[in-house]
Amino acid sequence: MSSNFALYIVLNRNPFLCVLCGVFPVDVLIDSDLIHFIFFFLSFFFLSWLLVMENTCKKKSLKFALLNVGGLVSQDLNKTCDSRFMNTLEKFDIIFLVETHIGHGQLPHKIGPFYFHAVCRPMSKHNNRHFGGLGILCKDNIQPHVNILKNTSDDFQWLQLDKNFFGLQENLFICVVYDPPSTSSYTLGLNYNILECLEKELIQYSKLGEILICGDFNARTANILDFIPFDSNNYVPLYDQYNSDTEIRHRQSQDDKVDNRGKELIDLCIGQNLRILNGRTFGDIFGKITCYTPHGSSVVDYAIVSENILDQILYFSVNEFDPTLSDCHCLLHWELSASFTT
Protein backbone atom coordinates (compact mmCIF):
# COMPACT_ATOMS: atom_id res chain seq x y z
CA MET A 1 0.00 0.00 0.00
CA SER A 2 1.47 3.39 -0.97
CA SER A 3 1.93 6.09 1.69
CA ASN A 4 -0.38 8.39 -0.29
CA PHE A 5 -3.19 5.85 -0.26
CA ALA A 6 -2.70 5.03 3.48
CA LEU A 7 -2.88 8.70 4.43
CA TYR A 8 -5.91 9.10 2.16
CA ILE A 9 -7.76 6.42 4.19
CA VAL A 10 -6.73 7.96 7.54
CA LEU A 11 -7.91 11.39 6.50
CA ASN A 12 -11.06 10.09 4.87
CA ARG A 13 -12.10 8.45 8.17
CA ASN A 14 -11.13 11.48 10.28
CA PRO A 15 -12.84 14.61 8.91
CA PHE A 16 -11.67 16.67 11.93
CA LEU A 17 -8.05 15.89 11.11
CA CYS A 18 -8.71 16.94 7.55
CA VAL A 19 -9.98 20.32 8.69
CA LEU A 20 -7.11 20.66 11.18
CA CYS A 21 -4.58 20.03 8.46
CA GLY A 22 -6.34 22.17 5.88
CA VAL A 23 -7.11 19.32 3.50
CA PHE A 24 -10.03 20.06 1.17
CA PRO A 25 -11.72 17.85 0.20
CA VAL A 26 -10.86 14.39 1.59
CA ASP A 27 -11.32 12.54 -1.64
CA VAL A 28 -8.63 14.52 -3.44
CA LEU A 29 -5.45 12.63 -4.17
CA ILE A 30 -2.77 13.76 -1.74
CA ASP A 31 0.65 14.58 -3.11
CA SER A 32 3.94 14.15 -1.26
CA ASP A 33 4.35 17.88 -0.51
CA LEU A 34 1.04 17.92 1.34
CA ILE A 35 2.05 14.82 3.29
CA HIS A 36 5.21 16.60 4.44
CA PHE A 37 3.22 19.69 5.40
CA ILE A 38 0.74 17.65 7.46
CA PHE A 39 3.43 15.80 9.39
CA PHE A 40 5.33 19.06 9.96
CA PHE A 41 2.15 20.73 11.26
CA LEU A 42 1.34 17.84 13.60
CA SER A 43 4.92 17.80 14.92
CA PHE A 44 4.78 21.55 15.56
CA PHE A 45 1.41 21.20 17.32
CA PHE A 46 2.73 18.38 19.54
CA LEU A 47 5.92 20.23 20.51
CA SER A 48 3.89 23.37 21.31
CA TRP A 49 1.63 21.32 23.55
CA LEU A 50 4.65 19.86 25.38
CA LEU A 51 6.06 23.37 25.91
CA VAL A 52 2.76 24.61 27.34
CA MET A 53 2.56 21.62 29.69
CA GLU A 54 6.14 22.22 30.89
CA ASN A 55 5.47 25.90 31.59
CA THR A 56 2.33 25.12 33.56
CA CYS A 57 4.21 22.73 35.85
CA LYS A 58 7.60 24.41 36.19
CA LYS A 59 7.99 27.44 38.44
CA LYS A 60 10.82 29.93 38.44
CA SER A 61 10.19 31.56 41.82
CA LEU A 62 8.77 31.06 45.30
CA LYS A 63 6.21 33.54 46.59
CA PHE A 64 6.18 34.30 50.32
CA ALA A 65 3.88 36.38 52.50
CA LEU A 66 3.98 37.58 56.11
CA LEU A 67 1.01 38.80 58.11
CA ASN A 68 0.42 39.73 61.72
CA VAL A 69 -3.12 38.42 61.58
CA GLY A 70 -4.20 39.79 64.95
CA GLY A 71 -6.15 36.64 65.77
CA LEU A 72 -6.96 33.87 63.33
CA VAL A 73 -10.08 32.60 65.09
CA SER A 74 -12.49 34.39 67.40
CA GLN A 75 -15.96 33.71 68.75
CA ASP A 76 -17.49 35.55 65.80
CA LEU A 77 -15.12 34.75 62.95
CA ASN A 78 -12.80 32.07 61.63
CA LYS A 79 -10.68 33.84 59.02
CA THR A 80 -9.73 30.56 57.34
CA CYS A 81 -13.41 30.25 56.34
CA ASP A 82 -13.52 33.78 54.90
CA SER A 83 -13.27 33.68 51.10
CA ARG A 84 -11.59 37.08 50.77
CA PHE A 85 -8.96 36.18 53.35
CA MET A 86 -8.19 32.83 51.71
CA ASN A 87 -8.25 34.23 48.16
CA THR A 88 -5.57 36.71 49.19
CA LEU A 89 -3.35 34.03 50.71
CA GLU A 90 -3.76 31.52 47.87
CA LYS A 91 -1.60 33.73 45.64
CA PHE A 92 1.46 32.64 47.64
CA ASP A 93 3.40 29.40 48.13
CA ILE A 94 4.35 29.87 51.81
CA ILE A 95 2.64 32.23 54.25
CA PHE A 96 3.88 33.14 57.73
CA LEU A 97 1.28 34.26 60.28
CA VAL A 98 2.02 35.81 63.66
CA GLU A 99 -0.28 36.55 66.59
CA THR A 100 -2.62 33.75 65.60
CA HIS A 101 -4.09 33.61 69.14
CA ILE A 102 -5.00 29.92 68.84
CA GLY A 103 -4.34 26.77 70.82
CA HIS A 104 -3.16 23.34 69.67
CA GLY A 105 -5.80 21.44 67.73
CA GLN A 106 -8.01 24.49 67.27
CA LEU A 107 -7.47 24.39 63.50
CA PRO A 108 -6.93 21.36 61.21
CA HIS A 109 -3.60 20.64 59.51
CA LYS A 110 -5.30 21.05 56.11
CA ILE A 111 -6.71 24.49 55.24
CA GLY A 112 -7.75 24.94 51.61
CA PRO A 113 -4.74 24.22 49.38
CA PHE A 114 -2.35 24.56 52.34
CA TYR A 115 -0.74 22.40 54.97
CA PHE A 116 -0.96 24.30 58.28
CA HIS A 117 1.57 24.13 61.11
CA ALA A 118 0.89 26.01 64.34
CA VAL A 119 3.14 27.09 67.20
CA CYS A 120 1.01 27.99 70.21
CA ARG A 121 1.66 29.62 73.53
CA PRO A 122 0.08 28.15 76.67
CA MET A 123 -3.26 29.65 77.60
CA SER A 124 -3.05 32.81 79.71
CA LYS A 125 -3.76 32.19 83.39
CA HIS A 126 -5.38 35.61 83.73
CA ASN A 127 -8.25 35.23 81.25
CA ASN A 128 -7.97 31.72 79.77
CA ARG A 129 -7.11 33.06 76.32
CA HIS A 130 -4.32 32.36 73.87
CA PHE A 131 -1.99 35.19 72.85
CA GLY A 132 0.95 35.36 70.48
CA GLY A 133 1.31 32.24 68.40
CA LEU A 134 2.70 31.46 64.95
CA GLY A 135 1.31 29.74 61.88
CA ILE A 136 2.91 28.45 58.69
CA LEU A 137 0.79 27.78 55.61
CA CYS A 138 2.54 25.79 52.89
CA LYS A 139 1.03 24.78 49.54
CA ASP A 140 0.37 21.04 49.38
CA ASN A 141 2.40 20.56 46.19
CA ILE A 142 5.66 21.71 47.82
CA GLN A 143 5.01 20.68 51.44
CA PRO A 144 7.02 17.41 51.22
CA HIS A 145 10.13 19.49 50.43
CA VAL A 146 9.64 21.98 53.28
CA ASN A 147 11.01 20.62 56.54
CA ILE A 148 9.56 22.07 59.75
CA LEU A 149 12.51 21.90 62.15
CA LYS A 150 12.43 21.03 65.85
CA ASN A 151 10.81 23.81 67.82
CA THR A 152 12.68 25.31 70.78
CA SER A 153 10.57 28.40 71.47
CA ASP A 154 6.97 29.58 71.49
CA ASP A 155 8.20 32.82 69.88
CA PHE A 156 9.89 31.60 66.69
CA GLN A 157 9.91 28.61 64.37
CA TRP A 158 12.53 27.42 61.86
CA LEU A 159 11.96 25.54 58.64
CA GLN A 160 14.25 24.37 55.84
CA LEU A 161 13.80 24.42 52.07
CA ASP A 162 15.45 21.60 50.14
CA LYS A 163 17.98 23.15 47.75
CA ASN A 164 17.78 20.23 45.31
CA PHE A 165 14.02 20.42 44.81
CA PHE A 166 13.79 24.22 44.68
CA GLY A 167 16.88 24.71 42.53
CA LEU A 168 18.74 26.78 45.13
CA GLN A 169 22.50 27.01 45.47
CA GLU A 170 22.29 26.35 49.22
CA ASN A 171 19.67 25.05 51.62
CA LEU A 172 17.52 27.93 52.86
CA PHE A 173 16.72 28.14 56.57
CA ILE A 174 13.72 30.36 57.31
CA CYS A 175 12.54 31.58 60.69
CA VAL A 176 9.22 33.27 61.48
CA VAL A 177 9.31 35.42 64.61
CA TYR A 178 6.95 37.21 66.93
CA ASP A 179 8.73 39.37 69.49
CA PRO A 180 6.07 41.13 71.60
CA PRO A 181 6.47 44.79 72.65
CA SER A 182 9.23 45.30 75.21
CA THR A 183 6.74 46.76 77.69
CA SER A 184 4.23 43.88 77.43
CA SER A 185 3.58 41.75 80.50
CA TYR A 186 4.67 38.70 78.51
CA THR A 187 8.09 40.17 77.68
CA LEU A 188 8.61 41.55 81.18
CA GLY A 189 7.90 38.08 82.58
CA LEU A 190 10.53 36.35 80.45
CA ASN A 191 13.91 35.39 81.87
CA TYR A 192 15.51 35.47 78.42
CA ASN A 193 15.81 37.77 75.41
CA ILE A 194 14.01 36.45 72.32
CA LEU A 195 16.44 38.05 69.84
CA GLU A 196 19.43 36.61 71.70
CA CYS A 197 17.92 33.11 71.61
CA LEU A 198 17.12 33.56 67.92
CA GLU A 199 20.70 34.62 67.17
CA LYS A 200 22.19 31.55 68.84
CA GLU A 201 20.21 29.24 66.55
CA LEU A 202 20.77 31.52 63.56
CA ILE A 203 24.54 31.13 63.98
CA GLN A 204 24.19 27.34 63.83
CA TYR A 205 21.90 27.30 60.79
CA SER A 206 24.01 29.85 58.90
CA LYS A 207 26.81 27.25 58.83
CA LEU A 208 24.49 24.93 56.90
CA GLY A 209 22.97 27.33 54.37
CA GLU A 210 21.46 30.74 53.75
CA ILE A 211 19.08 32.55 56.12
CA LEU A 212 15.72 34.28 55.83
CA ILE A 213 13.98 35.62 58.94
CA CYS A 214 10.67 37.44 58.98
CA GLY A 215 8.05 38.52 61.45
CA ASP A 216 6.74 41.21 63.74
CA PHE A 217 9.78 42.25 65.78
CA ASN A 218 8.14 45.29 67.41
CA ALA A 219 11.41 47.00 66.53
CA ARG A 220 11.71 50.44 64.97
CA THR A 221 14.89 50.93 62.98
CA ALA A 222 14.20 54.05 60.88
CA ASN A 223 16.81 54.01 58.10
CA ILE A 224 19.96 53.33 60.13
CA LEU A 225 22.50 51.16 58.32
CA ASP A 226 22.30 47.40 58.69
CA PHE A 227 25.84 46.93 57.36
CA ILE A 228 29.27 48.43 57.97
CA PRO A 229 30.03 51.07 55.29
CA PHE A 230 33.42 51.01 53.58
CA ASP A 231 34.15 47.71 55.31
CA SER A 232 37.41 46.05 54.26
CA ASN A 233 39.84 43.43 55.46
CA ASN A 234 42.69 44.63 53.27
CA TYR A 235 44.56 46.70 55.83
CA VAL A 236 43.69 45.30 59.26
CA PRO A 237 44.76 41.84 60.45
CA LEU A 238 41.52 39.89 60.89
CA TYR A 239 40.47 36.29 61.26
CA ASP A 240 40.49 34.36 58.01
CA GLN A 241 36.75 33.69 58.23
CA TYR A 242 35.83 37.38 58.42
CA ASN A 243 33.76 38.48 55.42
CA SER A 244 33.68 42.22 54.95
CA ASP A 245 30.28 43.81 54.25
CA THR A 246 29.37 44.77 50.72
CA GLU A 247 28.38 48.38 50.06
CA ILE A 248 24.73 48.07 49.04
CA ARG A 249 21.74 50.34 48.58
CA HIS A 250 20.89 52.26 51.76
CA ARG A 251 17.46 51.65 53.23
CA GLN A 252 14.68 54.21 53.29
CA SER A 253 11.84 54.28 55.81
CA GLN A 254 8.67 56.24 56.33
CA ASP A 255 9.16 55.60 60.06
CA ASP A 256 11.84 57.92 61.43
CA LYS A 257 11.89 56.50 64.97
CA VAL A 258 14.54 54.20 66.44
CA ASP A 259 14.04 52.30 69.70
CA ASN A 260 16.23 49.95 71.73
CA ARG A 261 14.70 46.85 70.13
CA GLY A 262 15.44 48.37 66.73
CA LYS A 263 19.09 48.87 67.67
CA GLU A 264 19.27 45.23 68.79
CA LEU A 265 17.82 44.08 65.47
CA ILE A 266 20.32 46.17 63.52
CA ASP A 267 23.17 44.73 65.60
CA LEU A 268 21.90 41.26 64.77
CA CYS A 269 21.90 42.08 61.05
CA ILE A 270 25.41 43.50 61.10
CA GLY A 271 26.80 40.69 63.20
CA GLN A 272 25.31 37.91 61.07
CA ASN A 273 25.58 39.45 57.58
CA LEU A 274 21.83 39.84 57.21
CA ARG A 275 20.10 42.57 55.24
CA ILE A 276 16.63 44.04 55.65
CA LEU A 277 14.44 43.97 52.52
CA ASN A 278 12.12 46.78 53.68
CA GLY A 279 12.98 50.10 52.08
CA ARG A 280 15.69 48.96 49.66
CA THR A 281 14.11 46.33 47.42
CA PHE A 282 12.22 46.75 44.17
CA GLY A 283 8.58 47.20 45.19
CA ASP A 284 9.32 49.07 48.42
CA ILE A 285 12.07 51.60 47.86
CA PHE A 286 10.56 54.09 50.33
CA GLY A 287 10.08 51.73 53.29
CA LYS A 288 6.30 51.78 53.63
CA ILE A 289 4.56 51.73 57.00
CA THR A 290 3.59 48.21 58.11
CA CYS A 291 1.48 48.90 61.21
CA TYR A 292 -1.28 51.43 61.97
CA THR A 293 -2.61 51.91 65.51
CA PRO A 294 -4.48 54.69 67.34
CA HIS A 295 -1.11 55.62 68.87
CA GLY A 296 0.55 56.12 65.50
CA SER A 297 2.06 54.28 62.54
CA SER A 298 5.36 52.40 62.37
CA VAL A 299 7.54 49.89 60.55
CA VAL A 300 7.81 46.86 62.83
CA ASP A 301 7.28 43.94 60.40
CA TYR A 302 10.35 42.88 58.44
CA ALA A 303 11.78 40.34 56.03
CA ILE A 304 15.54 39.92 56.37
CA VAL A 305 17.90 37.73 54.31
CA SER A 306 21.52 36.68 54.08
CA GLU A 307 23.52 39.20 52.08
CA ASN A 308 24.51 36.37 49.70
CA ILE A 309 20.93 35.94 48.43
CA LEU A 310 19.92 39.59 48.37
CA ASP A 311 20.17 39.61 44.58
CA GLN A 312 17.87 36.57 44.38
CA ILE A 313 14.94 38.54 45.81
CA LEU A 314 12.86 39.53 42.78
CA TYR A 315 10.69 42.01 44.67
CA PHE A 316 9.41 42.95 48.12
CA SER A 317 6.18 44.82 48.76
CA VAL A 318 3.98 46.09 51.58
CA ASN A 319 0.26 46.02 50.77
CA GLU A 320 -2.17 48.72 51.76
CA PHE A 321 -3.81 48.05 55.10
CA ASP A 322 -6.85 45.78 54.76
CA PRO A 323 -9.04 45.39 57.88
CA THR A 324 -10.37 42.05 56.62
CA LEU A 325 -6.86 40.58 56.97
CA SER A 326 -5.59 42.11 60.23
CA ASP A 327 -6.50 44.46 63.01
CA CYS A 328 -3.64 46.90 62.35
CA HIS A 329 -0.89 45.29 60.24
CA CYS A 330 -0.25 45.22 56.51
CA LEU A 331 0.52 42.12 54.46
CA LEU A 332 4.18 41.86 53.39
CA HIS A 333 5.12 39.70 50.42
CA TRP A 334 8.22 38.94 48.39
CA GLU A 335 9.47 36.58 45.71
CA LEU A 336 12.63 34.48 45.65
CA SER A 337 14.26 33.18 42.48
CA ALA A 338 13.96 29.39 42.30
CA SER A 339 13.41 26.59 39.80
CA PHE A 340 11.18 23.64 40.57
CA THR A 341 8.45 21.48 39.11
CA THR A 342 5.14 20.69 40.79
Side-chain angles (χ1 to χ4, degrees):
M1 181 186 299
S2 70
S3 59
N4 281 2
F5 180 72
L7 187 59
Y8 169 83
I9 293 178
V10 171
L11 292 176
N12 196 41
R13 294 183 179 180
N14 295 273
F16 174 76
L17 189 59
C18 297
V19 174
L20 183 66
C21 297
V23 181
F24 307 98
V26 294
D27 57 347
V28 175
L29 183 64
I30 304 171
D31 60 28
S32 60
D33 289 337
L34 188 54
I35 294 174
H36 294 157
F37 169 77
I38 293 172
F39 278 106
F40 172 81
F41 182 87
L42 292 177
S43 299
F44 176 80
F45 178 82
F46 180 71
L47 290 175
S48 299
W49 176 79
L50 286 179
L51 184 61
V52 169
M53 290 300 297
E54 181 181 5
N55 288 338
T56 57
C57 299
K58 191 167 186 177
K59 290 192 172 186
K60 297 182 179 180
S61 65
L62 269 170
K63 296 181 179 181
F64 299 90
L66 165 71
L67 177 65
N68 182 322
V69 72
L72 198 51
V73 179
S74 66
Q75 292 181 347
D76 303 322
L77 177 66
N78 180 345
K79 291 183 179 178
T80 65
C81 297
D82 181 79
S83 59
R84 182 170 178 180
F85 181 84
M86 291 304 299
N87 288 341
T88 299
L89 298 189
E90 286 175 8
K91 302 172 185 176
F92 308 103
D93 299 303
I94 302 177
I95 301 103
F96 304 102
L97 303 176
V98 301
E99 284 208 88
T100 53
H101 298 176
I102 61 173
H104 291 288
Q106 198 167 344
L107 285 175
H109 289 299
K110 183 73 171 66
I111 299 176
F114 297 102
Y115 166 80
F116 178 66
H117 178 83
V119 177
C120 309
R121 280 195 209 163
M123 186 176 290
S124 171
K125 296 178 181 179
H126 300 293
N127 53 17
N128 294 325
R129 291 178 56 191
H130 289 281
F131 293 97
L134 308 168
I136 299 172
L137 289 164
C138 179
K139 283 281 181 67
D140 291 334
N141 56 4
I142 63 171
Q143 186 270 327
H145 309 282
V146 177
N147 183 20
I148 305 293
L149 301 177
K150 181 180 179 180
N151 178 263
T152 60
S153 170
D154 294 333
D155 308 301
F156 56 83
Q157 173 66 57
W158 288 93
L159 57 90
Q160 176 189 349
L161 300 190
D162 179 10
K163 67 177 182 180
N164 295 319
F165 176 78
F166 290 106
L168 306 173
Q169 294 182 354
E170 300 288 344
N171 287 322
L172 181 61
F173 293 88
I174 305 176
C175 189
V176 55
V177 185
Y178 177 60
D179 199 350
S182 57
T183 57
S184 70
S185 58
Y186 177 80
T187 301
L188 294 175
L190 295 176
N191 59 2
Y192 58 88
N193 181 294
I194 293 174
L195 279 183
E196 289 179 0
C197 294
L198 172 66
E199 185 171 18
K200 289 179 182 178
E201 297 190 10
L202 192 157
I203 291 171
Q204 296 302 315
Y205 288 126
S206 64
K207 297 174 183 178
L208 305 175
E210 305 296 353
I211 300 293
L212 188 161
I213 59 176
C214 61
D216 179 356
F217 293 85
N218 280 292
R220 303 179 70 175
T221 61
N223 62 351
I224 57 178
L225 295 180
D226 54 356
F227 64 93
I228 302 174
F230 312 111
D231 193 21
S232 173
N233 56 8
N234 293 332
Y235 307 107
V236 180
L238 297 168
Y239 294 109
D240 293 338
Q241 65 268 28
Y242 177 79
N243 295 316
S244 58
D245 289 352
T246 303
E247 190 77 20
I248 58 176
R249 181 189 179 96
H250 290 205
R251 290 188 306 120
Q252 302 298 317
S253 180
Q254 294 178 349
D255 182 2
D256 61 359
K257 298 289 191 298
V258 180
D259 58 16
N260 289 332
R261 178 78 64 76
K263 294 175 183 178
E264 292 178 5
L265 183 60
I266 292 296
D267 288 342
L268 172 67
C269 291
I270 294 175
Q272 303 305 323
N273 289 102
L274 301 175
R275 304 294 173 253
I276 297 172
L277 297 184
N278 306 56
R280 68 153 49 98
T281 314
F282 174 74
D284 183 44
I285 59 175
F286 298 114
K288 289 179 64 176
I289 296 296
T290 68
C291 179
Y292 297 88
T293 72
H295 304 292
S297 56
S298 58
V299 175
V300 292
D301 308 281
Y302 299 90
I304 305 170
V305 302
S306 298
E307 185 181 277
N308 291 337
I309 62 170
L310 193 59
D311 60 352
Q312 296 174 36
I313 302 298
L314 303 180
Y315 79 88
F316 170 88
S317 183
V318 178
N319 280 8
E320 297 298 325
F321 172 67
D322 184 345
T324 64
L325 302 180
S326 174
D327 56 344
C328 60
H329 290 261
C330 300
L331 177 81
L332 280 59
H333 56 102
W334 62 96
E335 197 167 349
L336 173 72
S337 179
S339 179
F340 61 100
T341 302
T342 59

